[in-house]
């Protein structure tokens, strides 16, 4: 079902980016408006960033890059009766990169017994086994590796599905 949705609806936009739909389960269940919970989580993040200036600076750099690279955009105002979902945001540090935070948009956050992840289909497992990767490295004369750090942000989401990926952040990083 996931592959059928992607085969039928995944397109390349005018700017060369892939435009993907969110693969909702059928029948699609309406999501409750979780704005109040997202606002409470955003206020907790705000308090945390006010206590830790370095973390605030790292988060601001992350978000500036996100908007500068068009991986996110300011969302238009919509009517409260229109279906929407807000992703709580938090940051994590990699132990080997203590001066670089990664923002996490928590699509598994539950509200009224559901989350965005609960409403979406899972795609096939395309992860190669480590043994398979090592064997393929030995088969040929050369190997290619790539940095896919921002790969997930290089896909645009279908415009009619973007209201399910809203998040709360400071206007102009202020």
């Amino acid at each position: 079902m996931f592959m059928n949705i992607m085969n039928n609806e995944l397109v390349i936009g005018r700017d060369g980016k892939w435009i993907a739909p969110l693969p909702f389960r059928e029948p699609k269940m309406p999501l409750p408006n979780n704005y109040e919970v997202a606002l409470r989580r955003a206020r907790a993040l705000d308090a945390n960033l006010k206590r830790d200036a370095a973390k605030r600076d790292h988060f601001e750099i992350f978000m500036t890059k996100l908007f500068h690279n068009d991986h996110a955009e300011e969302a238009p105002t919509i009517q409260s009766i229109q279906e929407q979902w807000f992703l709580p945001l938090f940051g994590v540090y990699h132990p080997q990169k203590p001066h670089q935070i990664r923002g996490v948009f928590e699509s598994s956050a539950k509200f009224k017994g559901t989350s965005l992840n609960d409403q979406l289909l899972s795609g096939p497992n395309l992860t190669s086994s480590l043994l398979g990767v090592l064997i393929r490295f030995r088969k040929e004369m050369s190997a290619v590796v790539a940095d896919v750090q921002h790969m997930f942000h290089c896909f645009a989401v279908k415009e009619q599905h973007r209201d399910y990926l809203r998040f709360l952040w400071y206007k102009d990083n202020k």
Side-chain angles (χ1 to χ4, degrees):
M1 195 176 211
F2 174 90
M3 292 306 293
N4 284 339
I5 291 170
M6 291 301 144
N7 286 334
N8 293 327
E9 298 183 45
L10 188 69
V11 295
I12 298 177
R14 290 184 183 144
D15 61 356
K17 283 186 179 180
W18 286 96
I19 301 173
L22 291 180
F24 284 104
R25 295 179 183 279
E26 289 293 330
K28 184 188 169 307
M29 304 300 288
L31 284 162
N33 186 340
N34 69 335
Y35 175 80
E36 293 301 323
V37 172
L39 182 60
R40 196 172 26 232
R41 294 273 302 265
R43 286 181 176 149
L45 175 62
D46 180 58
N48 183 288
L49 296 177
K50 284 180 179 173
R51 285 191 304 272
D52 188 340
K55 186 175 186 178
R56 181 179 61 239
D57 292 342
H58 297 156
F59 225 118
E60 187 174 312
I61 290 167
F62 173 83
M63 295 303 286
T64 298
K65 286 180 185 175
L66 194 72
F67 285 105
H68 178 76
N69 294 327
D70 293 327
H71 297 158
E73 62 189 11
E74 185 175 341
T77 303
I78 62 174
Q79 297 177 0
S80 61
I81 59 169
Q82 191 172 342
E83 191 174 11
Q84 57 190 316
W85 186 261
F86 289 85
L87 299 173
L89 175 62
F90 65 94
V92 295
Y93 285 101
H94 188 282
Q96 295 175 349
K97 299 177 184 177
H99 302 298
Q100 183 180 346
I101 200 164
R102 180 173 58 93
V104 177
F105 301 92
E106 190 180 359
S107 55
S108 63
K110 298 263 187 191
F111 177 68
K112 292 190 176 180
T114 193
S115 71
L116 181 61
N117 280 358
D118 292 340
Q119 302 301 319
L120 300 176
L121 295 166
S122 297
N125 183 357
L126 300 176
T127 306
S128 297
S129 74
L130 182 57
L131 179 60
V133 171
L134 292 174
I135 289 172
R136 284 192 300 278
F137 267 104
R138 299 210 44 165
K139 280 177 64 175
E140 304 295 336
M141 292 287 294
S142 58
V144 177
V145 295
D147 180 1
V148 294
Q149 179 179 2
H150 296 289
M151 177 191 70
F152 293 105
H153 299 298
C154 292
F155 284 81
V157 174
K158 226 171 143 174
E159 195 162 329
Q160 58 264 43
H161 289 170
R162 291 179 188 175
D163 287 332
Y164 299 101
L165 302 174
R166 289 173 171 256
F167 61 93
L168 301 173
W169 185 250
Y170 310 98
K171 184 163 179 79
D172 301 322
N173 270 344
K174 305 280 187 260

